[in-house]
Amino acid sequence: MPETASVSTPKPSRRLKLIGAGAACVAVAVVAAGVVTRVQADQSLKAWNRAQAIPTVGLAPVKGGGARDLVLPGQLQAFYNAPIHARVSGYLKRWYVDLGAPVKAGQLLAEIDTPDLDQQVLQARANLATAQANQRLSSITAKRWEGLVAQDAVSRQEADEKMGDLAARNSAVNAARADLDRLLAQQSFKRITAPFDGVVTARNTDIGQLISVGGAADTALFTVADQKKLRVYVSVPQNNSALIRRGLTAALSLPEYPGQTFKAVVVNDAQAVAANGAMLVELQLDNPDGKLKPGGYAQVAFKLPSAPMATTLPATALMYLHDTPAVAVVGPDSHVHLRPVKIQRDLGTEIEIGAGVQAGDKVVNNPPESLADGDLVRVTSAPAKGGAANAKG
């Protein structure tokens, strides 16, 4: 019989080896992929943490020098204000004007009844009449004795005595006339008149009231104020006093006229700083319609020029380095540089810087207390949150 060919088949052990090798490769690939994923996640986490560690800051508006408003409280006063006192004692007979009445210069305000003074005037008139009678008699006698001297009927000594008596009588007449004039002048003060055109702002008397001159009860009977022109007095702090000049205008705002302003002009200043650290400044403004009232409160806004190189920052951008004022400026590489600055004027919510900052600088607003020179920061368009300026010791 012929022999048949035999077919060779792979052994089972070799097949299992191939399957195991494939599974091992798959497992290695899975492990490698997991390790790579974990490494990438760890690197991403570290990068995120580094990004979160960079502080986010906002920038403060930096403005160049220009005219600035200095707002201070002021007190309105009448251009003329006269408390009118009595010059003679007596009783108020009647008054003719009341509170708020407009008056003209010389207008009669009140009359005082002065019985004692009237009697003194009568007595002074009688004394003058007596002195004049004695003067006439002495004059006649002196003339007669001069004639007798010419006739050698009397001595020259006796004639000189008569002339001396006449001189004494003349002096007595002059003294009596002066005393009468003095009393008449006092009597003219029975009529209380207005010293100038104005308004009666106070009446402190009434009919029948005892008027006592020079005593504790000597109070002003009336007060007359000229309101056609007003004075405004303002205390300007010393650090701004050098910028106040005569002719400088200011805008007045009053609580009774919201939204309205009134123009006043600086006319005088004290040229000295008072104990409160401020210089007293006087402004004037016209008040033809009497709209503004003396004694009122006003806010006075001065338009003050700034120095040519000055810049203005919010007060919240200021920080301190060892008691030295400074600001944090962000450079082109987003790193912070702390610069000392020179404060020229403190405007309240804003600070005028004389040196250390320029108009194009990126100044951090509300810098964190932990911010140091050279720190990397992230600038946001939103304003930084925080309170007042921090201190970095």
Side-chain angles (χ1 to χ4, degrees):
M1 288 180 66
E3 296 181 354
T4 58
S6 62
V7 180
S8 61
T9 59
K11 296 182 180 180
S13 60
R14 185 178 178 184
R15 183 180 300 173
L16 292 175
K17 289 180 180 180
L18 292 175
I19 293 173
C25 291
V26 172
V28 170
V30 171
V31 170
V35 170
V36 171
T37 303
R38 180 172 296 179
V39 170
Q40 291 178 347
D42 185 62
Q43 291 177 348
S44 298
L45 180 61
K46 290 181 179 179
W48 184 85
N49 289 334
R50 285 195 301 270
Q52 292 301 313
I54 300 175
T56 300
V57 296
L59 298 181
V62 181
K63 295 180 288 185
R68 305 297 303 168
D69 283 343
L70 175 65
V71 182
L72 298 169
Q75 187 77 25
L76 298 177
Q77 292 188 13
F79 195 78
Y80 296 119
N81 188 74
I84 302 176
H85 292 255
R87 290 290 307 274
V88 292
S89 300
Y91 297 91
L92 192 75
K93 186 176 181 179
R94 67 174 58 88
W95 52 266
Y96 299 96
V97 294
D98 206 351
L99 187 69
V103 294
K104 297 293 184 180
Q107 181 177 340
L108 184 62
L109 305 181
E111 288 182 297
I112 300 175
D113 189 11
T114 58
D116 294 342
L117 180 59
D118 295 343
Q119 291 299 318
Q120 292 177 21
V121 170
L122 294 177
Q123 182 179 354
R125 291 186 187 277
N127 292 339
L128 177 60
T130 301
Q132 289 173 337
N134 292 333
Q135 179 196 39
R136 287 192 296 269
L137 178 58
S138 180
S139 176
I140 293 172
T141 302
K143 289 180 181 179
R144 287 175 180 174
W145 280 84
E146 282 294 325
L148 293 176
V149 169
Q151 299 174 6
D152 292 330
V154 295
S155 65
R156 170 55 64 181
Q157 177 66 30
E158 291 175 317
D160 289 343
E161 290 177 357
K162 300 303 180 183
M163 292 300 296
D165 182 69
L166 175 59
R169 299 298 181 181
N170 289 337
S171 297
V173 169
N174 292 335
R177 181 176 290 111
D179 185 54
L180 177 60
D181 291 342
R182 177 181 62 83
L183 293 174
L184 290 176
Q186 290 185 7
Q187 199 174 42
S188 67
F189 291 116
K190 295 167 57 174
R191 295 168 52 87
I192 306 297
T193 58
F196 47 78
D197 295 354
V199 176
V200 177
T201 59
R203 178 180 64 83
N204 302 315
T205 188
D206 211 339
I207 295 176
Q209 181 175 338
L210 174 64
I211 307 299
S212 179
V213 176
D218 185 10
T219 59
L221 306 182
F222 298 90
T223 300
V224 177
D226 180 6
Q227 302 180 353
K228 298 299 182 183
K229 198 171 185 179
L230 298 179
R231 305 176 193 264
V232 184
Y233 290 97
V234 182
S235 293
V236 178
Q238 180 180 356
N239 59 340
N240 295 311
S241 60
L243 300 175
I244 302 298
R245 296 286 187 271
R246 294 185 180 183
L248 182 68
T249 59
L252 270 64
S253 302
L254 289 88
E256 62 266 35
Y257 299 114
Q260 298 187 42
T261 58
F262 304 87
K263 180 181 177 182
V265 180
V266 175
V267 295
N268 287 308
D269 61 78
Q271 291 294 318
V273 177
N276 61 352
M279 181 180 69
L280 187 64
V281 175
E282 177 189 347
L283 301 91
Q284 293 181 6
L285 73 158
D286 293 328
N287 187 36
D289 53 359
K291 193 173 183 179
L292 307 181
K293 302 298 184 290
Y297 163 83
Q299 281 191 329
V300 184
F302 295 95
K303 188 72 71 174
L304 299 182
S306 295
M309 300 302 294
T311 54
T312 305
L313 297 173
T316 52
L318 199 64
M319 60 189 305
Y320 285 88
L321 298 174
H322 306 290
D323 297 330
T324 300
V327 295
V329 180
V330 181
D333 56 354
S334 298
H335 287 270
V336 168
H337 304 282
L338 302 184
R339 293 185 190 173
V341 295
K342 180 181 179 181
I343 298 177
Q344 185 161 309
R345 282 194 297 165
D346 187 347
L347 305 174
T349 58
E350 293 184 332
I351 301 294
E352 189 175 87
I353 305 298
V357 177
Q358 298 180 357
D361 289 339
K362 297 179 180 180
V363 179
V364 177
N365 196 17
N366 291 307
E369 186 176 355
S370 58
L371 193 65
D373 190 76
D375 284 354
L376 181 66
V377 296
R378 181 185 295 108
V379 177
T380 179
S381 58
K385 297 181 179 179
N390 297 293
K392 184 174 180 64

